[in-house]
Amino acid sequence: MAVEKTLILIKPDGVKRRLTGEVIKRLEQKGLNIKGLKMMKLSVEKAEKHYSVHNGKPFFKDLVSYITSGPIIAMVAQGNNSISVVRGLVGATDGSKAAPGTIRGDFSISIDKNIIHASDSVESFNHEYPIFFEEPEILDFSYGDEKLF
Ligand code: CMP
């Protein structure tokens, strides 16, 4: 059992479709602890840094232009194996292939407007979270109900 942190973004399509509450509800119901949360409009510079692993791929330019096109919600959530747990809640990258019951499977039918991003490894989390959060914005507190999950 590894207590991990993961970075989650609700993308512009998720925010504009008013799915923020739905996504947070699913994270909370699972027992994940949200430790940082903000709404922001990402700069092109930050978007290119966040998605640097995709730089050079044919979809990179559209990806950066899309993620900077409107407000996003950035979150840091903590919990047991939270990286793989959240990836499971999120579902496959392509919404048209994601399983029903997952966030993308329930709300997306495309690969680009797929509602949500989540770190895929500890290395990705360590690369990603400083782009969105200053260290003091990730709060060290206990919800007090951890034993119930
Ligand atoms: P995300 O989890 O944010 O990580 C990279 C994003 O690139 C991915 O979700 C998709 O929304 C987007 N993307 C667009 N086109 C492709 C593609 N052909 N293959 C993979 N990812 C793509």
Side-chain angles (χ1 to χ4, degrees):
M1 204 160 69
V3 177
E4 296 170 335
K5 290 192 184 82
T6 188
L7 179 91
I8 300 157
L9 304 178
I10 305 178
K11 298 184 182 185
D13 56 313
V15 173
K16 288 198 171 155
R17 288 177 56 200
R18 304 173 189 267
L19 290 170
T20 298
E22 176 69 33
V23 169
I24 292 175
K25 184 185 83 175
R26 291 182 182 214
L27 300 172
E28 286 189 326
Q29 283 180 164
K30 183 68 179 168
L32 289 151
N33 302 317
I34 297 170
K35 299 284 181 158
L37 188 155
K38 61 166 79 165
M39 187 180 230
M40 62 197 289
K41 192 146 184 293
L42 208 53
S43 66
V44 168
E45 190 191 6
K46 285 191 173 200
E48 286 178 343
K49 194 168 177 195
H50 173 66
Y51 280 131
S52 58
V53 67
H54 298 297
N55 199 340
K57 295 185 185 165
F59 57 87
F60 182 68
K61 208 164 149 252
D62 286 346
L63 182 58
V64 169
S65 131
Y66 174 61
I67 200 77
T68 57
S69 68
I72 61 166
I73 306 283
M75 284 178 268
V76 168
Q78 188 176 46
N80 293 332
N81 302 319
S82 68
I83 292 174
S84 67
V85 165
V86 173
R87 296 280 290 184
L89 294 176
V90 164
T93 306
D94 185 340
S96 74
K97 296 177 182 153
T102 64
I103 293 167
R104 287 170 174 161
D106 289 349
F107 299 109
S108 163
I109 199 163
S110 72
I111 200 166
D112 49 350
K113 294 186 181 62
N114 62 355
I115 314 285
I116 187 165
H117 165 90
S119 306
D120 64 5
S121 64
V122 174
E123 293 69 32
S124 297
F125 171 74
N126 287 333
H127 168 75
E128 292 171 354
Y129 85 85
I131 299 167
F132 301 88
F133 291 93
E134 305 282 338
E135 208 65 54
E137 294 174 323
I138 300 172
L139 306 181
D140 184 16
F141 73 103
S142 163
Y143 278 77
D145 63 356
E146 284 80 357
K147 284 200 170 70
L148 299 176
F149 285 89

mmCIF file with all atom_site columns, all heavy atoms in Angstrom, residues 11 51 54 59 63 93 104 111-112 114 117, ligand 1:
data_model
loop_
_atom_site.group_PDB
_atom_site.id
_atom_site.type_symbol
_atom_site.label_atom_id
_atom_site.label_alt_id
_atom_site.label_comp_id
_atom_site.label_asym_id
_atom_site.label_entity_id
_atom_site.label_seq_id
_atom_site.pdbx_PDB_ins_code
_atom_site.Cartn_x
_atom_site.Cartn_y
_atom_site.Cartn_z
_atom_site.occupancy
_atom_site.B_iso_or_equiv
_atom_site.pdbx_formal_charge
_atom_site.auth_seq_id
_atom_site.auth_comp_id
_atom_site.auth_asym_id
_atom_site.auth_atom_id
_atom_site.pdbx_PDB_model_num
ATOM   1   N N   . LYS A 1 11  ? -10.524 19.489 -17.760 1.00 0.00 ? 11  LYS A N   1
ATOM   2   C CA  . LYS A 1 11  ? -10.181 20.260 -18.965 1.00 0.00 ? 11  LYS A CA  1
ATOM   3   C C   . LYS A 1 11  ? -11.312 21.233 -19.324 1.00 0.00 ? 11  LYS A C   1
ATOM   4   O O   . LYS A 1 11  ? -12.423 21.130 -18.780 1.00 0.00 ? 11  LYS A O   1
ATOM   5   C CB  . LYS A 1 11  ? -9.914  19.279 -20.107 1.00 0.00 ? 11  LYS A CB  1
ATOM   6   C CG  . LYS A 1 11  ? -8.735  18.338 -19.850 1.00 0.00 ? 11  LYS A CG  1
ATOM   7   C CD  . LYS A 1 11  ? -8.487  17.472 -21.085 1.00 0.00 ? 11  LYS A CD  1
ATOM   8   C CE  . LYS A 1 11  ? -7.353  16.495 -20.835 1.00 0.00 ? 11  LYS A CE  1
ATOM   9   N NZ  . LYS A 1 11  ? -7.019  15.728 -22.057 1.00 0.00 ? 11  LYS A NZ  1
ATOM   10  N N   . TYR A 1 51  ? 2.640   19.221 -21.087 1.00 0.00 ? 51  TYR A N   1
ATOM   11  C CA  . TYR A 1 51  ? 2.514   18.172 -22.110 1.00 0.00 ? 51  TYR A CA  1
ATOM   12  C C   . TYR A 1 51  ? 3.827   17.948 -22.871 1.00 0.00 ? 51  TYR A C   1
ATOM   13  O O   . TYR A 1 51  ? 3.799   17.457 -23.996 1.00 0.00 ? 51  TYR A O   1
ATOM   14  C CB  . TYR A 1 51  ? 1.398   18.534 -23.086 1.00 0.00 ? 51  TYR A CB  1
ATOM   15  C CG  . TYR A 1 51  ? 0.004   18.231 -22.564 1.00 0.00 ? 51  TYR A CG  1
ATOM   16  C CD1 . TYR A 1 51  ? -1.005  19.192 -22.627 1.00 0.00 ? 51  TYR A CD1 1
ATOM   17  C CD2 . TYR A 1 51  ? -0.323  16.986 -22.034 1.00 0.00 ? 51  TYR A CD2 1
ATOM   18  C CE1 . TYR A 1 51  ? -2.294  18.912 -22.171 1.00 0.00 ? 51  TYR A CE1 1
ATOM   19  C CE2 . TYR A 1 51  ? -1.604  16.698 -21.568 1.00 0.00 ? 51  TYR A CE2 1
ATOM   20  C CZ  . TYR A 1 51  ? -2.583  17.659 -21.643 1.00 0.00 ? 51  TYR A CZ  1
ATOM   21  O OH  . TYR A 1 51  ? -3.853  17.367 -21.198 1.00 0.00 ? 51  TYR A OH  1
ATOM   22  N N   . HIS A 1 54  ? 4.653   14.983 -25.050 1.00 0.00 ? 54  HIS A N   1
ATOM   23  C CA  . HIS A 1 54  ? 3.978   14.839 -26.350 1.00 0.00 ? 54  HIS A CA  1
ATOM   24  C C   . HIS A 1 54  ? 4.525   15.803 -27.405 1.00 0.00 ? 54  HIS A C   1
ATOM   25  O O   . HIS A 1 54  ? 4.032   15.805 -28.536 1.00 0.00 ? 54  HIS A O   1
ATOM   26  C CB  . HIS A 1 54  ? 2.468   15.065 -26.195 1.00 0.00 ? 54  HIS A CB  1
ATOM   27  C CG  . HIS A 1 54  ? 1.805   14.060 -25.295 1.00 0.00 ? 54  HIS A CG  1
ATOM   28  N ND1 . HIS A 1 54  ? 1.776   12.718 -25.590 1.00 0.00 ? 54  HIS A ND1 1
ATOM   29  C CD2 . HIS A 1 54  ? 1.170   14.202 -24.101 1.00 0.00 ? 54  HIS A CD2 1
ATOM   30  C CE1 . HIS A 1 54  ? 1.142   12.066 -24.616 1.00 0.00 ? 54  HIS A CE1 1
ATOM   31  N NE2 . HIS A 1 54  ? 0.780   12.941 -23.701 1.00 0.00 ? 54  HIS A NE2 1
ATOM   32  N N   . PHE A 1 59  ? -0.431  15.720 -32.694 1.00 0.00 ? 59  PHE A N   1
ATOM   33  C CA  . PHE A 1 59  ? -1.546  16.382 -32.026 1.00 0.00 ? 59  PHE A CA  1
ATOM   34  C C   . PHE A 1 59  ? -1.093  17.432 -31.005 1.00 0.00 ? 59  PHE A C   1
ATOM   35  O O   . PHE A 1 59  ? -1.931  18.062 -30.349 1.00 0.00 ? 59  PHE A O   1
ATOM   36  C CB  . PHE A 1 59  ? -2.468  15.351 -31.362 1.00 0.00 ? 59  PHE A CB  1
ATOM   37  C CG  . PHE A 1 59  ? -1.789  14.439 -30.357 1.00 0.00 ? 59  PHE A CG  1
ATOM   38  C CD1 . PHE A 1 59  ? -1.668  14.817 -29.029 1.00 0.00 ? 59  PHE A CD1 1
ATOM   39  C CD2 . PHE A 1 59  ? -1.272  13.211 -30.745 1.00 0.00 ? 59  PHE A CD2 1
ATOM   40  C CE1 . PHE A 1 59  ? -1.050  13.991 -28.099 1.00 0.00 ? 59  PHE A CE1 1
ATOM   41  C CE2 . PHE A 1 59  ? -0.654  12.368 -29.819 1.00 0.00 ? 59  PHE A CE2 1
ATOM   42  C CZ  . PHE A 1 59  ? -0.539  12.767 -28.494 1.00 0.00 ? 59  PHE A CZ  1
ATOM   43  N N   . LEU A 1 63  ? -3.376  20.127 -28.942 1.00 0.00 ? 63  LEU A N   1
ATOM   44  C CA  . LEU A 1 63  ? -3.512  19.810 -27.516 1.00 0.00 ? 63  LEU A CA  1
ATOM   45  C C   . LEU A 1 63  ? -3.248  21.060 -26.671 1.00 0.00 ? 63  LEU A C   1
ATOM   46  O O   . LEU A 1 63  ? -4.027  21.389 -25.766 1.00 0.00 ? 63  LEU A O   1
ATOM   47  C CB  . LEU A 1 63  ? -2.518  18.695 -27.174 1.00 0.00 ? 63  LEU A CB  1
ATOM   48  C CG  . LEU A 1 63  ? -2.474  18.134 -25.769 1.00 0.00 ? 63  LEU A CG  1
ATOM   49  C CD1 . LEU A 1 63  ? -3.835  17.587 -25.357 1.00 0.00 ? 63  LEU A CD1 1
ATOM   50  C CD2 . LEU A 1 63  ? -1.410  17.039 -25.673 1.00 0.00 ? 63  LEU A CD2 1
ATOM   51  N N   . THR A 1 93  ? -7.996  6.759  -22.630 1.00 0.00 ? 93  THR A N   1
ATOM   52  C CA  . THR A 1 93  ? -7.800  8.106  -23.184 1.00 0.00 ? 93  THR A CA  1
ATOM   53  C C   . THR A 1 93  ? -8.914  8.505  -24.150 1.00 0.00 ? 93  THR A C   1
ATOM   54  O O   . THR A 1 93  ? -9.403  9.627  -24.111 1.00 0.00 ? 93  THR A O   1
ATOM   55  C CB  . THR A 1 93  ? -6.438  8.166  -23.925 1.00 0.00 ? 93  THR A CB  1
ATOM   56  O OG1 . THR A 1 93  ? -5.426  7.739  -23.016 1.00 0.00 ? 93  THR A OG1 1
ATOM   57  C CG2 . THR A 1 93  ? -6.122  9.577  -24.396 1.00 0.00 ? 93  THR A CG2 1
ATOM   58  N N   . ARG A 1 104 ? -14.515 9.254  -18.410 1.00 0.00 ? 104 ARG A N   1
ATOM   59  C CA  . ARG A 1 104 ? -14.511 9.451  -19.867 1.00 0.00 ? 104 ARG A CA  1
ATOM   60  C C   . ARG A 1 104 ? -15.557 8.563  -20.539 1.00 0.00 ? 104 ARG A C   1
ATOM   61  O O   . ARG A 1 104 ? -16.200 8.963  -21.508 1.00 0.00 ? 104 ARG A O   1
ATOM   62  C CB  . ARG A 1 104 ? -13.112 9.166  -20.426 1.00 0.00 ? 104 ARG A CB  1
ATOM   63  C CG  . ARG A 1 104 ? -12.102 10.267 -20.083 1.00 0.00 ? 104 ARG A CG  1
ATOM   64  C CD  . ARG A 1 104 ? -10.705 9.830  -20.446 1.00 0.00 ? 104 ARG A CD  1
ATOM   65  N NE  . ARG A 1 104 ? -9.705  10.875 -20.268 1.00 0.00 ? 104 ARG A NE  1
ATOM   66  C CZ  . ARG A 1 104 ? -8.417  10.634 -20.168 1.00 0.00 ? 104 ARG A CZ  1
ATOM   67  N NH1 . ARG A 1 104 ? -7.957  9.397  -20.198 1.00 0.00 ? 104 ARG A NH1 1
ATOM   68  N NH2 . ARG A 1 104 ? -7.570  11.639 -20.024 1.00 0.00 ? 104 ARG A NH2 1
ATOM   69  N N   . ILE A 1 111 ? -11.186 11.709 -28.319 1.00 0.00 ? 111 ILE A N   1
ATOM   70  C CA  . ILE A 1 111 ? -9.863  11.570 -27.690 1.00 0.00 ? 111 ILE A CA  1
ATOM   71  C C   . ILE A 1 111 ? -9.328  12.914 -27.206 1.00 0.00 ? 111 ILE A C   1
ATOM   72  O O   . ILE A 1 111 ? -8.484  12.964 -26.311 1.00 0.00 ? 111 ILE A O   1
ATOM   73  C CB  . ILE A 1 111 ? -8.859  10.900 -28.653 1.00 0.00 ? 111 ILE A CB  1
ATOM   74  C CG1 . ILE A 1 111 ? -7.666  10.315 -27.897 1.00 0.00 ? 111 ILE A CG1 1
ATOM   75  C CG2 . ILE A 1 111 ? -8.409  11.837 -29.755 1.00 0.00 ? 111 ILE A CG2 1
ATOM   76  C CD1 . ILE A 1 111 ? -6.819  9.364  -28.699 1.00 0.00 ? 111 ILE A CD1 1
ATOM   77  N N   . ASP A 1 112 ? -9.817  14.003 -27.785 1.00 0.00 ? 112 ASP A N   1
ATOM   78  C CA  . ASP A 1 112 ? -9.274  15.309 -27.392 1.00 0.00 ? 112 ASP A CA  1
ATOM   79  C C   . ASP A 1 112 ? -10.148 15.972 -26.322 1.00 0.00 ? 112 ASP A C   1
ATOM   80  O O   . ASP A 1 112 ? -9.640  16.446 -25.312 1.00 0.00 ? 112 ASP A O   1
ATOM   81  C CB  . ASP A 1 112 ? -9.052  16.217 -28.609 1.00 0.00 ? 112 ASP A CB  1
ATOM   82  C CG  . ASP A 1 112 ? -10.256 16.276 -29.530 1.00 0.00 ? 112 ASP A CG  1
ATOM   83  O OD1 . ASP A 1 112 ? -11.199 15.466 -29.339 1.00 0.00 ? 112 ASP A OD1 1
ATOM   84  O OD2 . ASP A 1 112 ? -10.266 17.129 -30.428 1.00 0.00 ? 112 ASP A OD2 1
ATOM   85  N N   . ASN A 1 114 ? -11.773 15.038 -23.736 1.00 0.00 ? 114 ASN A N   1
ATOM   86  C CA  . ASN A 1 114 ? -11.991 13.852 -22.885 1.00 0.00 ? 114 ASN A CA  1
ATOM   87  C C   . ASN A 1 114 ? -12.053 14.204 -21.393 1.00 0.00 ? 114 ASN A C   1
ATOM   88  O O   . ASN A 1 114 ? -11.669 13.425 -20.546 1.00 0.00 ? 114 ASN A O   1
ATOM   89  C CB  . ASN A 1 114 ? -10.943 12.775 -23.195 1.00 0.00 ? 114 ASN A CB  1
ATOM   90  C CG  . ASN A 1 114 ? -9.526  13.219 -22.921 1.00 0.00 ? 114 ASN A CG  1
ATOM   91  O OD1 . ASN A 1 114 ? -9.300  14.387 -22.572 1.00 0.00 ? 114 ASN A OD1 1
ATOM   92  N ND2 . ASN A 1 114 ? -8.570  12.326 -23.052 1.00 0.00 ? 114 ASN A ND2 1
ATOM   93  N N   . HIS A 1 117 ? -7.640  15.026 -17.124 1.00 0.00 ? 117 HIS A N   1
ATOM   94  C CA  . HIS A 1 117 ? -6.274  14.493 -17.216 1.00 0.00 ? 117 HIS A CA  1
ATOM   95  C C   . HIS A 1 117 ? -5.868  14.045 -15.818 1.00 0.00 ? 117 HIS A C   1
ATOM   96  O O   . HIS A 1 117 ? -6.230  14.686 -14.829 1.00 0.00 ? 117 HIS A O   1
ATOM   97  C CB  . HIS A 1 117 ? -5.304  15.576 -17.710 1.00 0.00 ? 117 HIS A CB  1
ATOM   98  C CG  . HIS A 1 117 ? -3.858  15.214 -17.489 1.00 0.00 ? 117 HIS A CG  1
ATOM   99  N ND1 . HIS A 1 117 ? -3.122  14.526 -18.419 1.00 0.00 ? 117 HIS A ND1 1
ATOM   100 C CD2 . HIS A 1 117 ? -3.043  15.418 -16.424 1.00 0.00 ? 117 HIS A CD2 1
ATOM   101 C CE1 . HIS A 1 117 ? -1.909  14.322 -17.934 1.00 0.00 ? 117 HIS A CE1 1
ATOM   102 N NE2 . HIS A 1 117 ? -1.821  14.863 -16.732 1.00 0.00 ? 117 HIS A NE2 1
HETATM 103 P P1  . CMP B 2 .   ? -4.340  13.490 -21.475 1.00 0.00 ? 1   CMP B P1  1
HETATM 104 O O1  . CMP B 2 .   ? -4.523  12.448 -20.453 1.00 0.00 ? 1   CMP B O1  1
HETATM 105 O O2  . CMP B 2 .   ? -4.585  14.904 -21.099 1.00 0.00 ? 1   CMP B O2  1
HETATM 106 O O3  . CMP B 2 .   ? -2.845  13.377 -22.053 1.00 0.00 ? 1   CMP B O3  1
HETATM 107 C C1  . CMP B 2 .   ? -2.514  13.798 -23.360 1.00 0.00 ? 1   CMP B C1  1
HETATM 108 C C2  . CMP B 2 .   ? -3.712  14.147 -24.173 1.00 0.00 ? 1   CMP B C2  1
HETATM 109 O O4  . CMP B 2 .   ? -3.527  14.231 -25.567 1.00 0.00 ? 1   CMP B O4  1
HETATM 110 C C3  . CMP B 2 .   ? -4.743  13.053 -24.011 1.00 0.00 ? 1   CMP B C3  1
HETATM 111 O O5  . CMP B 2 .   ? -5.307  13.140 -22.722 1.00 0.00 ? 1   CMP B O5  1
HETATM 112 C C4  . CMP B 2 .   ? -5.699  13.348 -25.159 1.00 0.00 ? 1   CMP B C4  1
HETATM 113 O O6  . CMP B 2 .   ? -6.766  14.192 -24.771 1.00 0.00 ? 1   CMP B O6  1
HETATM 114 C C5  . CMP B 2 .   ? -4.827  14.147 -26.148 1.00 0.00 ? 1   CMP B C5  1
HETATM 115 N N1  . CMP B 2 .   ? -4.745  13.549 -27.473 1.00 0.00 ? 1   CMP B N1  1
HETATM 116 C C6  . CMP B 2 .   ? -5.197  14.113 -28.597 1.00 0.00 ? 1   CMP B C6  1
HETATM 117 N N2  . CMP B 2 .   ? -4.942  13.314 -29.651 1.00 0.00 ? 1   CMP B N2  1
HETATM 118 C C7  . CMP B 2 .   ? -4.329  12.207 -29.182 1.00 0.00 ? 1   CMP B C7  1
HETATM 119 C C8  . CMP B 2 .   ? -3.820  11.008 -29.774 1.00 0.00 ? 1   CMP B C8  1
HETATM 120 N N3  . CMP B 2 .   ? -3.896  10.799 -31.084 1.00 0.00 ? 1   CMP B N3  1
HETATM 121 N N4  . CMP B 2 .   ? -3.265  10.090 -28.966 1.00 0.00 ? 1   CMP B N4  1
HETATM 122 C C9  . CMP B 2 .   ? -3.186  10.303 -27.618 1.00 0.00 ? 1   CMP B C9  1
HETATM 123 N N5  . CMP B 2 .   ? -3.634  11.431 -27.010 1.00 0.00 ? 1   CMP B N5  1
HETATM 124 C C10 . CMP B 2 .   ? -4.206  12.366 -27.779 1.00 0.00 ? 1   CMP B C10 1
#
